[in-house]
Amino acid sequence: MRLYNTLERKKEEFVPSNGNKVSLYACGITAYDLCHIGHARSSVVFDVLVRYLRYKGYDVTFVRNFTDIDDKIINRANESGVTAAELAEKFIGEFYVDMDKLNILRADIEPKCTEHIPEMLTLTQTLIDKGHAYSTPSGDVYFKVRSFEGYGKLSGRNIEDLQSGARIKPGEEKKDPLDFALWKAAKPGEPSWESPWGQGRPGWHLECSAMSEKYLSLPFDIHGGGQDLSFPHHENEIAQSEAATGKPMARFWVHNGFVQINSEKMSKSLGNFFTIRDIIAKFLPETLRYFLLTMHYRSPLDFSFEALEEAEKGIRRVYSAMEQMEEALQKAKWSKAALPAEVLAELEDAEKGWDAAMEDDVNTAGAMGYIFTLVRLAGRIAEDKAWRKSEGGRDAWIRILADMKKWGGVLGIFTEKPQTFLAGLKLCMLERKGIEVSKVDELVAARQDARKNKDFAESDKIRDALTELGVEVKDTPQGPVWDVI
């Protein structure tokens, strides 16, 4: 298995440092608002990575934190008339609501910043003792960036370039404009904790260093997060942790790419900011998850509702194929005939291709292509009268279904019963069109009555009305079946 390591700027073979055990830390949310599509992408990316490592047989310890004290949290709490703790707890709960809908597994350990103040104080004191940090008269503590020789190695930035744009704000007591806060002196009305430097609270970067070191031995195997965190957050984590311990912090640094909205950066000021709830109000959560997997995790992902509709067609096609295979397996009588060797070879090639795609830096986009190879292969078997009634065809369908469910378990999709998913999708699509199911049922029933009365002109008229609504009716031996088109 190969993973792209941001630190080395290349793909490297991934081998855990401790036998079969994998240690993975991913930066979680700052709990002050509902999660947006960028949070969804990062969560899905690392959820799939964890699932795949476990599928490979590794014993994974996954740690994902919550930032529950921060300037944004304090400001939003003040605006809302609640405490920072109450606000953070509310949005941690909302995070779980969204992530459960997206089928995101809970991390093994989910530490909160405010529950690890002692560890942060110890780390800060260690950095002061080793000459990498200093306190100020007002009670702030800063990390001395120039004291850490490797600063910039993750992001590829150098001190000189950073220095040109750095400034010390009025009131700050930094010795160098590049230095960053480890501990912030308390301001009136803010939550604070006792420390050797007075009442205050931790800086954002400090928390992940302290919590990852507590739960995972350094260097741990994988540190993950969004591309936007590589600098300054992850760069500062490396500086703090490695300056304090003398050990590398993590062996692999894995970052997912940005989400763009119609080729523009997502921004509330541009009016193109979408929360997860904005999206799943119109589309099924599994459709969103499927969409997020259609592009390689390191590539930028361009979101639009049109792209989501295309994803909906894709996931519908897979579930429909699964439904058709399951129904065929229940009904058919099988002749003792095998499939041609070349058909079985195609199936084996698809299975090898899926494994190869996932082994190659968790290429879910490539892996998804092999799922559609199976869909096409299943369709070819169904179209050939001899194949679809043969034991060879039956065995191939059983194997294809097993592969789809197994791969779906890794990707976190295709896990529902096909009939259940497709029924829910039909209702979702109707609702998006503003059409009530009862209206469709009435028109379908009226058309059926017209057909029974041999009033084919009326029957055709009703069919046209259904088509205008975006509904297609198929006549089967069991009666009319309608679907959304």
Side-chain angles (χ1 to χ4, degrees):
M1 179 180 177
R2 290 161 60 79
L3 277 178
Y4 186 87
N5 189 352
T6 307
L7 187 64
E8 301 297 334
R9 291 162 183 74
K10 64 181 180 181
K11 293 180 191 175
E12 297 183 319
E13 183 181 1
F14 176 73
V15 179
S17 57
N18 185 17
N20 195 49
K21 297 184 181 298
V22 174
S23 47
L24 191 159
Y25 184 97
C27 291
I29 63 161
T30 299
Y32 74 102
D33 207 343
L34 293 174
C35 291
H36 54 67
I37 189 172
H39 295 128
R41 186 181 198 192
S42 187
S43 296
V44 167
V45 164
F46 292 101
D47 184 63
V48 169
L49 177 57
V50 169
R51 286 171 183 262
Y52 184 64
L53 290 167
R54 288 175 177 158
Y55 167 81
K56 294 272 293 177
Y58 292 116
D59 179 7
V60 181
T61 300
F62 178 31
V63 181
R64 180 180 56 219
N65 74 298
F66 289 109
T67 296
D68 60 345
I69 189 67
D70 174 86
D71 289 342
K72 292 176 181 177
I73 294 172
I74 293 168
N75 293 338
R76 182 64 59 85
N78 290 338
E79 293 169 5
S80 305
V82 298
T83 67
E86 288 169 337
L87 185 89
E89 199 60 34
K90 173 188 174 182
F91 285 109
I92 288 171
E94 300 294 0
F95 168 87
Y96 283 129
V97 170
D98 289 342
M99 296 304 143
D100 287 350
K101 288 180 179 177
L102 289 175
N103 196 21
I104 304 291
L105 301 175
R106 302 288 171 99
D108 300 297
I109 304 168
E110 297 184 323
K112 298 174 184 174
C113 172
T114 57
E115 295 172 353
H116 295 79
I117 300 298
E119 290 84 357
M120 295 182 215
L121 294 175
T122 298
L123 178 55
T124 301
Q125 188 62 59
T126 298
L127 289 167
I128 291 173
D129 294 344
K130 290 192 171 186
H132 291 291
Y134 57 91
S135 60
T136 69
S138 63
D140 294 323
V141 181
Y142 289 98
F143 183 88
K144 294 163 62 175
V145 166
R146 293 181 192 274
S147 74
F148 182 67
E149 188 175 338
Y151 194 82
K153 62 184 176 181
L154 180 69
S155 60
R157 307 185 187 207
N158 59 59
I159 294 289
E160 289 71 27
D161 290 342
L162 293 170
Q163 175 67 46
S164 64
R167 300 287 184 272
I168 297 177
K169 296 177 183 177
E172 285 186 324
E173 298 171 317
K174 292 181 182 181
K175 295 180 180 178
D176 187 314
L178 296 181
D179 296 346
F180 60 86
L182 298 171
W183 186 261
K184 297 181 178 182
K187 295 177 182 176
E190 285 189 352
S192 62
W193 290 262
E194 186 59 54
S195 82
W197 317 285
Q199 289 289 123
R201 58 186 174 87
W204 176 39
H205 313 300
L206 182 68
E207 63 181 85
C208 287
S209 287
M211 290 187 284
S212 60
E213 185 179 345
K214 177 174 181 177
Y215 295 107
L216 303 171
S217 299
L218 301 189
F220 51 91
D221 290 309
I222 301 170
H223 194 315
Q227 182 182 334
D228 55 317
L229 298 181
S230 63
F231 185 88
H233 186 51
H234 289 166
E235 196 75 71
N236 291 352
E237 281 185 54
I238 289 174
Q240 294 162 163
S241 294
E242 297 189 2
T245 66
K247 301 176 184 177
M249 185 180 187
R251 298 171 53 241
F252 281 77
W253 290 81
V254 177
H255 295 95
N256 63 273
F258 292 116
V259 176
Q260 301 174 146
I261 310 295
N262 295 319
S263 302
E264 292 184 309
K265 184 178 179 181
M266 185 169 64
S267 166
K268 287 184 178 178
S269 62
L270 293 174
N272 66 354
F273 183 91
F274 296 108
T275 67
I276 293 171
R277 295 190 191 181
D278 291 333
I279 296 165
I280 64 176
K282 299 180 179 180
F283 292 84
L284 294 180
E286 189 169 342
T287 301
L288 174 57
R289 181 174 178 122
Y290 173 96
F291 167 74
L292 294 170
L293 295 170
T294 57
M295 186 68 72
H296 189 277
Y297 77 87
R298 285 191 289 113
S299 300
L301 180 65
D302 195 24
F303 174 85
S304 68
F305 284 104
E306 291 77 17
L308 207 53
E309 287 176 357
E310 287 302 309
E312 188 174 63
K313 292 176 185 176
I315 196 169
R316 184 185 194 184
R317 186 178 168 201
V318 176
Y319 266 115
S320 295
M322 294 172 74
E323 180 184 45
Q324 289 161 11
M325 283 185 281
E326 289 181 355
E327 289 177 352
L329 287 168
Q330 291 172 2
K331 295 177 181 177
K333 294 180 181 179
W334 312 104
S335 66
K336 292 187 178 295
L339 290 180
E342 60 266 24
V343 176
L344 294 177
E346 285 183 49
L347 177 51
E348 290 174 5
D349 287 346
E351 290 170 338
K352 291 175 183 176
W354 189 88
D355 285 334
M358 293 299 288
E359 290 280 294
D360 184 15
D361 197 25
V362 198
N363 184 359
T364 58
M368 208 88 83
Y370 291 104
I371 292 175
F372 284 98
T373 299
L374 295 190
V375 169
R376 290 189 292 272
L377 190 55
R380 282 171 53 202
I381 294 170
E383 289 167 6
D384 189 292
K385 188 174 181 180
W387 292 0
R388 72 169 178 262
K389 293 187 176 181
S390 70
E391 290 182 353
R394 174 200 64 191
D395 294 344
W397 275 336
I398 290 171
R399 184 167 161 185
I400 289 169
L401 274 170
D403 284 339
M404 286 179 168
K405 291 174 182 178
K406 178 175 64 177
W407 300 351
V410 174
L411 299 175
I413 51 180
F414 312 135
T415 56
E416 282 197 57
K417 290 182 179 179
Q419 296 86 346
T420 303
F421 177 85
L422 292 168
L425 180 60
K426 186 169 19 177
L427 294 177
C428 177
M429 294 172 75
L430 274 185
E431 187 175 325
R432 205 162 62 237
K433 292 172 179 283
I435 303 167
E436 294 183 2
V437 177
S438 59
K439 181 177 181 180
V440 176
D441 287 337
E442 286 173 11
L443 287 170
V444 171
R447 176 180 171 275
Q448 188 69 356
D449 288 341
R451 283 170 55 82
K452 285 180 181 177
N453 297 327
K454 301 190 184 301
D455 187 350
F456 297 113
E458 179 66 13
S459 170
D460 290 345
K461 181 180 175 183
I462 296 172
R463 178 189 284 274
D464 292 342
L466 285 164
T467 300
E468 286 182 19
L469 292 176
V471 174
E472 178 184 54
V473 181
K474 291 182 180 178
D475 295 305
T476 73
Q478 292 76 36
V481 176
W482 64 267
D483 206 346
V484 185
I485 52 177

